[in-house]
Amino acid sequence: MSALTFTLKIELKQRLDCSPLTPGALAGKGAAEIAGIELQCGNRKLRADAVFDISGSDSDAIVVSKASAKLDYIGKGMESGSITVEGDAGSYLGLLMKNGVIHVSGNVDAYAACEMKNGEICIEGNAGDYLGAALPGDKKGMQGGVVIVKGDAADRVGDHMRRGAILIEGNAGAYLGARMTAGTIAVMGSVGAFPGYAMKRGTLLLLKSPGQLPATFNDCGTHTLGFLPLLLKGFQGYPTRFGDLADQVKRVRRYAGDLSGLGKGEILVVA
Amino acid sequence: MIINGVHIDPTFAEAFPMKATRVIITAQNLKWAYHSANAFTGFATSVIACGCEAGIERELDPSETPDGRPGVSAMIFAMGGKGLAKQLETRAGQCVLTSPTSALFAGIEGGDRIALGKNLRYFGDGFQISKRIRGKRYWRVPVMDGEFLTEETTGMIPAVGGGNFLILAESQPQALAACEAAIEAMKKVPNVIMPFPGGVVRSGSKVGSKYKSLNASTNDAFCPTLKGQTKSELSPEIESVMEIVIDGLSDEDIKKSMRVGIQAACELGAANGIRRISAGNYGGKLGPFLFHLQDIMA
């Protein structure tokens, strides 16, 4: 059985809501039924077969081919299976995702992995603002799972994040891990201003010194922490270089904060 | 049955159901892993008065431990789940949390989950940090030497306690030498512990006592100095009897360890004063698991 493939065949003028195209929602549906699914595009609805060439039948392994940054809500709330995006994805990728795997070969827009509960998202390109964050007005961001970004991530990564791990192999923007409740964000590259702003608990693991930290973080000194190899070993098997660091990253400089609030979070900078 | 001149009694060892768990204790090096594990398994020879039976199962290579450091696996057995959980927590708190550089992990994935670091974390006084890695929750508890890393829970499974055999020899040194040889061989069998000091018990017991407050007392039938005073099981040439007690995760594990232990003792043979192998048989009063020596050695 070949993967159920949606190949974008028109140039979208408005953004398209792809949330009905998840493995769970398409399970057991025939080709005609899938072709007739209505997708919201701007202020009107389009049939799936008016937007995509549809081939294959394995709804557990969906492929979105020739994808564009106008495709929003890919994998929204998905509970199983996999979605492979060949190209870029729009906003809200993996919003409220409960399980399964999403792989994007290009870039994604804002709010990817927002309020995600579990599963795995791998983005080969860059990610927009509010990766793994809470939706505006909500208080609980990402609550589980693993998000891997091979490129850079923009601002407010992990805003209000509650659990899980975000691994950024490139650089991250400003307000990394702002208002975090718990969880782990690791960055190989540089980070922007105000990392850990108002974080309550949680861990920011930085492989490069952030230069200047907020004044509300206090230096706890340099330490060899036994949980770091265990944590990094936990990423082995995921498509990320962080798993390879299990034998290398043990010694870190620990900064506790944000002391203007609860102050039980930490920024660990690899020594 | 006679092996190398050693008579194997046509009797059986009688064992009983227990609950068990395994933990992995790691440290900066094996020396400190052993310090911690020895304390953790200390005073845990018999459920009769210790509340549990515990022992070190084996050394672990860094590649086998969760945090990639040297370590040992230890097992702890008790008569029920509540007792096991209490003993585990007390011992982990007093002996592993306190031991320099130690970390404590679950050694059994299945079964019912019981607390490992779940409550020990409160020692962190609010500064403890939870990390969920691959579906398992760990606690980082700040302590004076750095951080105590522990897993939240471990698995508790049904097990078998009280497997045993007796080595009857012409002298005390000969009985001990045979026991040492047996223990060395049995240590190589996984899923079992021999909880007594050095794996050997010299005070094997029978069920009950003339004193109402005691539920076990000396096994007078196997006490060499009482040959003329009680209904003895010992012939004139036997001057010393020692017992090896085995707890295992299954009756098969106990059978395997009994077999290699008896075999090792018999290799010393009658030429070295080893005359008989017998077993603690309590006439069905102790438990449902019966390990017939001659079947095991067949």
Side-chain angles (χ1 to χ4, degrees):
Chain A
M1 208 157 44
S2 57
L4 179 57
T5 303
F6 295 89
T7 306
L8 190 63
K9 67 180 182 185
I10 60 170
E11 194 179 336
L12 291 167
K13 295 200 169 51
Q14 301 287 337
R15 303 187 78 90
L16 185 79
D17 178 355
C18 297
S19 59
L21 308 181
T22 62
L26 299 183
K29 284 191 165 65
E33 210 175 345
I34 293 171
I37 290 172
E38 291 195 318
L39 303 172
Q40 190 73 38
C41 184
N43 62 356
R44 57 202 178 117
K45 286 188 157 81
L46 299 175
R47 279 173 59 96
D49 61 355
V51 182
F52 299 105
D53 282 329
I54 304 170
S55 61
S57 58
D58 183 5
S59 62
D60 209 37
I62 291 173
V63 175
V64 183
S65 188
K66 294 184 180 174
S68 94
K70 284 199 166 70
L71 301 180
D72 290 343
Y73 296 104
I74 293 175
K76 180 188 171 187
M78 72 184 267
E79 294 180 347
S80 62
S82 69
I83 298 179
T84 304
V85 181
E86 294 172 352
D88 296 340
S91 298
Y92 304 104
L93 176 96
L95 176 74
L96 294 164
M97 179 173 168
K98 294 185 180 70
N99 222 326
V101 178
I102 299 178
H103 186 272
V104 182
S105 66
N107 303 322
V108 303
D109 216 330
Y111 294 108
C114 256
E115 303 186 15
M116 170 180 174
K117 305 276 193 293
N118 210 343
E120 179 192 328
I121 294 178
C122 178
I123 299 158
E124 297 282 347
N126 303 325
D129 293 341
Y130 290 98
L131 174 73
L135 290 172
D138 287 357
K139 286 282 181 100
K140 287 182 187 172
M142 181 173 159
Q143 289 157 59
V146 177
V147 176
I148 296 156
V149 180
K150 303 268 195 181
D152 301 334
D155 296 343
R156 295 272 181 184
V157 172
D159 190 48
H160 276 308
M161 178 173 172
R162 196 173 170 79
R163 199 175 291 133
I166 299 176
L167 310 174
I168 300 162
E169 295 188 4
N171 306 318
Y175 293 97
L176 177 77
R179 304 186 288 184
M180 254 175 110
T181 312
T184 304
I185 303 175
V187 183
M188 279 187 180
S190 61
V191 300
F194 306 114
Y197 173 82
M199 76 189 284
K200 298 177 186 75
R201 291 190 176 84
T203 303
L204 302 184
L205 174 63
L206 309 181
L207 269 68
K208 274 190 188 163
S209 172
Q212 196 179 6
L213 282 171
T216 47
F217 276 78
N218 274 1
D219 188 356
C220 301
T222 306
H223 304 281
T224 302
L225 299 179
F227 93 98
L228 281 171
L230 189 72
L231 177 81
L232 293 165
K233 211 161 95 175
F235 300 130
Q236 286 173 354
Y238 288 101
T240 173
R241 287 187 282 142
F242 278 97
D244 305 335
L245 300 175
D247 296 329
Q248 298 162 41
V249 175
K250 291 172 189 166
R251 193 153 176 80
V252 289
R253 194 162 193 101
R254 182 173 191 268
Y255 298 89
D258 186 331
L259 295 163
S260 63
L262 188 63
K264 290 187 174 171
E266 61 183 0
I267 297 177
L268 305 177
V269 182
V270 175
Chain B
M1 178 188 277
I2 293 170
I3 302 174
N4 201 19
V6 182
H7 180 82
I8 310 294
D9 281 4
T11 187
F12 57 87
E14 197 174 332
F16 45 87
M18 296 185 92
K19 294 279 187 182
T21 189
R22 181 195 280 120
V23 295
I24 293 167
I25 298 170
T26 66
Q28 187 175 287
N29 53 40
L30 264 181
K31 175 180 153 186
W32 283 98
Y34 268 111
H35 279 316
S36 181
N38 283 330
F40 176 81
T41 57
F43 184 59
T45 58
S46 168
V47 286
I48 294 173
C50 306
C52 70
E53 297 179 3
I56 293 171
E57 184 189 18
R58 68 183 183 98
E59 277 177 21
L60 299 171
D61 188 76
S63 63
E64 297 176 275
T65 63
D67 62 355
R69 299 193 302 168
V72 297
S73 63
M75 294 203 293
I76 178 166
F77 293 70
M79 297 305 285
K82 264 190 187 173
L84 183 69
K86 183 173 163 38
Q87 286 288 338
L88 176 64
E89 201 159 76
T90 307
R91 286 163 182 275
Q94 294 299 302
C95 308
V96 189
L97 166 66
T98 56
S99 175
T101 77
S102 70
L104 181 64
F105 305 100
I108 287 179
E109 296 307 325
D112 300 328
R113 303 307 290 181
I114 54 172
L116 194 59
K118 190 177 179 180
N119 299 315
L120 295 182
R121 74 177 196 251
Y122 295 116
F123 183 76
D125 201 25
F127 296 105
Q128 67 272 20
I129 296 172
S130 161
K131 282 287 162 207
R132 194 181 278 270
I133 301 168
R134 290 267 181 188
K136 294 179 185 172
R137 171 170 278 187
Y138 298 87
W139 286 99
R140 297 164 53 197
V141 182
V143 284
M144 289 179 5
D145 82 338
E147 278 186 345
F148 169 54
L149 177 64
T150 179
E151 201 167 331
E152 173 149 285
T153 59
T154 184
M156 176 178 69
I157 56 173
V160 182
N164 68 79
F165 61 91
L166 306 174
I167 296 176
L168 288 67
E170 288 173 16
S171 71
Q172 204 177 67
Q174 287 170 323
L176 192 59
C179 286
E180 285 177 348
I183 289 294
E184 275 312 304
M186 294 166 78
K187 274 183 180 174
K188 292 174 186 148
V189 178
N191 302 336
V192 295
I193 57 161
M194 285 64 74
F196 283 93
V200 187
V201 52
R202 58 95 170 263
S203 60
S205 58
K206 66 176 181 289
V207 176
S209 163
K210 69 177 277 188
Y211 303 106
K212 284 182 182 166
S213 60
L214 295 184
N215 53 19
S217 61
T218 193
N219 195 349
D220 55 288
F222 285 91
C223 288
T225 56
L226 300 180
K227 276 178 209 164
Q229 254 181 306
T230 191
K231 195 184 169 196
S232 182
E233 292 277 343
L234 305 179
S235 48
E237 73 280 10
I238 305 297
E239 280 187 23
S240 185
V241 180
M242 293 182 194
E243 182 176 354
I244 292 178
V245 173
I246 310 119
D247 295 337
L249 295 186
S250 72
D251 53 349
E252 277 306 312
D253 294 323
I254 288 183
K255 276 182 196 165
K256 271 184 212 161
S257 70
M258 282 177 71
R259 183 179 166 78
V260 299
I262 293 170
Q263 190 65 46
C266 290
E267 271 167 27
L268 291 175
N272 287 300
I274 313 304
R275 301 303 291 264
R276 272 172 65 197
I277 301 291
S278 192
N281 169 349
Y282 307 95
K285 288 185 212 164
L286 193 63
F289 298 99
L290 307 181
F291 299 103
H292 291 271
L293 298 184
Q294 297 202 346
D295 291 349
I296 286 171
M297 299 311 293

